[in-house]
């Protein structure tokens, strides 16, 4: 008989996703852990802002709960653009993506979670948008069919995946920045918990936070979930 994980790296509900969002750092300087990724992103963001250009397209991959969505929000905040979020399974047809792309403004960020699950027809549709900031729109059918090239504003695509090996080579090669997120050390998790406890107004001490940190499997989402469960079980003042 299979056993369901009570605490895992995945998101259980929309309510929990909102709770996670309230704990997310807003800027790169506030981000804890993943020092190699943070340093490289800092260089890329600084260079893009210096040239007044959108950041290159970014691919983030790694196990769930390690901060891929959080980094997408941070990149959007750092670049001063709007973040538009969707997921691979939600984009079933090219038309689903057309409306999103044509509504993006200069320096906006399009975040596609589970990008490895994009249907082939949608993936091929996004190639010219990523490379040339334009989409090919087919009008009519058969002998009367013609292609209209529709220009787009310069945007940044951030793709997130837990299974980078399932990405096709043509899609992967269109990302200029490619980062893998590893599990966090318990010391980094401790710092994240300390910050979360202050934001949630949870009374805590070092020993208690260390106990949670060592049981969080190196995953911030699991750590914050455990912290909220500890808060729920603590006696009310």
């Amino acid at each position: 008989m299979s056993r369901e994980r009570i605490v895992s790296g995945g998101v259980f509900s929309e309510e929990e996703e909102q709770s996670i969002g309230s704990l997310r750092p807003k800027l790169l300087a506030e981000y804890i852990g993943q020092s190699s990724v943070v340093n490289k992103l800092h260089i890329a963001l600084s260079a893009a802002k210096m040239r007044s250009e959108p950041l290159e397209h970014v691919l983030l991959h790694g196990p769930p709960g390690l901060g891929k969505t959080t980094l997408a929000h941070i990149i959007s905040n750092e670049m001063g653009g709007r973040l538009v979020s969707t997921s691979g399974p939600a984009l079933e047809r090219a038309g689903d993506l057309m409306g999103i792309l044509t509504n993006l403004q200069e320096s906006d960020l399009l975040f596609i979670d589970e990008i490895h699950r994009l249907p082939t027809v949608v993936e091929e549709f996004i190639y010219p948008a990523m490379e040339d900031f334009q989409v090919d729109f087919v009008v009519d059918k058969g002998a009367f069919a013609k292609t209209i090239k529709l220009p787009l504003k310069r945007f940044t695509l951030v793709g997130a995946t837990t299974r980078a090996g399932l990405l096709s080579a043509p899609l992967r090669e269109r990302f200029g920045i490619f980062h893998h997120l590893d599990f966090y050390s318990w010391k980094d998790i401790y710092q994240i918990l300390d910050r979360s406890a202050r934001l949630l107004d949870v009374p805590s001490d070092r020993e208690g936070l260390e106990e949670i940190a060592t049981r969080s499997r190196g995953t911030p989402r699991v750590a914050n979930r455990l912290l909220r469960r500890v808060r729920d079980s603590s006696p009310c003042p």
Side-chain angles (χ1 to χ4, degrees):
M1 182 176 65
S2 62
R3 298 178 60 187
E4 180 183 0
R5 278 189 180 274
I6 302 301
V7 181
S8 72
V11 176
F12 284 173
S13 65
E14 183 177 347
E15 180 181 352
E16 184 183 12
E17 178 61 33
Q18 293 173 353
S19 177
I20 293 171
S22 67
L23 299 177
R24 284 189 176 121
K26 302 296 187 293
L27 300 172
L28 207 57
E30 302 171 0
Y31 195 92
I32 299 169
Q34 306 291 343
S35 57
S36 176
V37 174
V38 169
N39 290 337
K40 292 173 183 176
L41 278 177
H42 174 71
I43 293 171
L45 284 165
S46 299
K49 287 189 282 189
M50 188 182 302
R51 294 191 300 265
S52 298
E53 294 176 356
L55 184 68
E56 286 187 89
H57 303 306
V58 181
L59 180 65
L60 303 171
H61 69 98
L66 297 188
K68 296 183 291 294
T69 303
T70 296
L71 283 173
H73 281 267
I74 287 175
I75 292 170
S76 176
N77 292 334
E78 293 277 5
M79 295 303 297
R82 182 173 55 109
L83 184 140
V84 178
S85 181
T86 185
S87 68
L91 301 170
E92 298 179 351
R93 299 176 297 275
D96 296 335
L97 191 58
M98 171 68 86
I100 295 175
L101 291 173
T102 53
N103 282 310
L104 292 175
Q105 300 301 312
E106 191 80 14
S107 296
D108 278 355
L109 186 147
L110 173 60
F111 176 62
I112 303 181
D113 198 9
E114 297 184 272
I115 195 169
H116 64 276
R117 294 179 62 185
L118 278 177
T120 302
V121 63
V122 178
E123 180 181 318
E124 293 176 349
F125 181 79
I126 207 173
Y127 291 164
M130 294 177 69
E131 285 190 311
D132 305 317
F133 298 102
Q134 66 180 26
V135 288
D136 298 329
F137 184 65
V138 180
V139 180
D140 292 329
K141 296 181 179 179
F144 301 100
K146 58 181 178 180
T147 301
I148 299 175
K149 294 188 181 299
L150 189 64
L152 303 172
K153 301 290 178 58
R154 294 178 63 84
F155 69 96
T156 296
L157 172 64
V158 175
T161 176
T162 56
R163 307 185 69 181
L166 295 183
L167 287 175
S168 68
L171 178 59
R172 189 167 56 246
E173 290 169 0
R174 283 170 168 81
F175 288 94
I177 301 173
F178 190 98
H179 290 310
H180 173 71
L181 273 64
D182 287 313
F183 289 104
Y184 292 63
S185 68
W186 76 266
K187 292 182 179 179
D188 286 337
I189 294 293
Y190 171 83
Q191 292 182 54
I192 291 170
L193 284 168
D194 184 52
R195 176 180 179 274
S196 297
R198 285 184 274 110
L199 290 174
L200 294 172
D201 198 22
V202 178
S204 61
D205 56 33
R206 183 177 183 86
E207 183 180 0
L209 293 182
E210 285 183 355
E211 286 292 329
I212 298 175
T214 56
R215 287 162 170 77
S216 299
R217 300 195 297 277
T219 307
R221 183 179 292 159
V222 171
N224 285 325
R225 188 175 288 161
L226 286 172
L227 180 65
R228 290 194 296 272
R229 298 294 74 79
V230 170
R231 177 188 61 177
D232 292 344
S233 62
S234 299
C236 297

